[in-house]
Amino acid sequence: MENLPDRPHPHAHLRASDTDRDQVVDVLRDALMSGRLSQDEHAERLEQTLQARTLGELEPITRDLVVPGQAQPVPLPMTQPSVSNSPVPIEEPADPSQSFDTMVAIFGGGERTGRWRVKRRTNAFAVFGGHDLDMTNAVFEGREVTIYAFAVFGGIDITVPEGVTVRNEGVGIFGGFGARGSDDPNPNAPTVVVKGLALFGGVGGQSSAKRHGKKNKGKGHHELH
């Protein structure tokens, strides 16, 4: 039988969005949970997904996992809502497509604290290690930011400022997955979406008031711990 070349992806040249990557991540997670991928295969494809820049690079990752006939992801237009009265600093990046960060902790630990910039997409990997993401005094690069947390025999702790809402969309397998936001959410404050997987590990967190006490209500710089 004659081997025909693969039909090129019609949108292969287009830049991949966070939404496109999230769709691939969801397919990989389902494949891992159903046994179609081993843990090593899942980790390898997950790394490829997070590094993909175009739809053409994303498409082969799930070619043998997606049901035939399923529509390919199409980039969605990114809207930039104007926020002027947020209790938490929000500074829109000059190039939203470059607003991403990756943190890796293997048999060790890492932390972010102080006035650091929370990207629209942050990928945090903890394998036999841990991450501490303290956003109490951070600057957000969007009204909604996504933390993709992948913890294997490790832990990832997330602290958000008062008023910030946290939305958990991750899965825990022989582990825990659940970070909490402010008890008094502010509709003008950012939302932190936490996605990913905790395998024999944990992903969790709390608001700054629960972690540091009721002290971060004034303006200006705060004492760091």
Side-chain angles (χ1 to χ4, degrees):
M1 180 180 294
E2 182 180 359
N3 292 325
L4 297 178
D6 292 337
R7 186 176 181 179
H9 193 291
H11 304 294
H13 64 287
L14 295 178
R15 300 277 295 190
S17 68
D18 287 343
T19 300
D20 301 322
R21 296 186 188 90
D22 289 343
Q23 290 175 352
V24 174
V25 167
D26 289 341
V27 173
L28 295 178
R29 182 187 62 196
D30 292 341
L32 173 65
M33 297 178 66
S34 64
R36 288 185 291 161
L37 285 179
S38 68
Q39 294 181 16
D40 290 341
E41 290 172 329
H42 176 267
E44 180 181 356
R45 296 196 190 195
L46 180 62
E47 182 178 1
Q48 293 173 356
T49 300
L50 299 178
Q51 293 177 350
R53 294 290 178 267
T54 66
L55 292 180
E57 294 174 350
L58 280 178
E59 191 272 338
I61 297 174
T62 57
R63 181 176 294 163
D64 58 344
L65 300 175
V66 178
V67 176
Q70 183 174 352
Q72 294 289 340
V74 178
L76 300 176
M78 299 184 67
T79 58
Q80 309 294 332
S82 175
V83 179
S84 59
N85 55 350
S86 169
V88 178
I90 299 178
E91 295 181 6
E92 301 288 348
D95 185 358
S97 67
Q98 296 299 316
S99 184
F100 64 89
D101 193 9
T102 297
M103 304 171 60
V104 179
I106 301 177
F107 292 100
E111 68 173 1
R112 294 287 173 86
T113 187
R115 200 169 179 80
W116 61 289
R117 299 185 71 87
V118 181
K119 303 295 185 178
R120 290 179 175 233
R121 171 69 174 255
T122 298
N123 308 312
F125 297 86
V127 182
F128 292 99
H131 281 301
D132 182 7
L133 308 182
D134 186 353
M135 306 177 188
T136 300
N137 298 304
V139 176
F140 288 72
E141 291 197 352
R143 181 162 184 176
E144 180 173 297
V145 300
T146 301
I147 307 294
Y148 188 86
F150 184 74
V152 179
F153 292 99
I156 298 175
D157 189 63
I158 301 169
T159 302
V160 299
E162 288 306 301
V164 170
T165 299
V166 173
R167 191 166 74 241
N168 284 289
E169 298 181 0
V171 174
I173 302 177
F174 296 104
F177 200 108
R180 297 188 60 185
S182 174
D183 291 336
D184 186 20
N186 187 311
N188 298 311
T191 295
V192 176
V193 181
V194 185
K195 300 185 177 185
L197 175 70
L199 183 63
F200 293 99
V203 175
Q206 63 280 307
S207 68
S208 59
K210 291 184 175 63
R211 175 171 177 170
H212 301 296
K214 303 285 185 178
K215 67 174 186 176
N216 296 311
K217 293 185 177 181
K219 296 181 179 180
H221 298 285
H222 306 296
E223 181 183 357
L224 299 180
H225 294 267

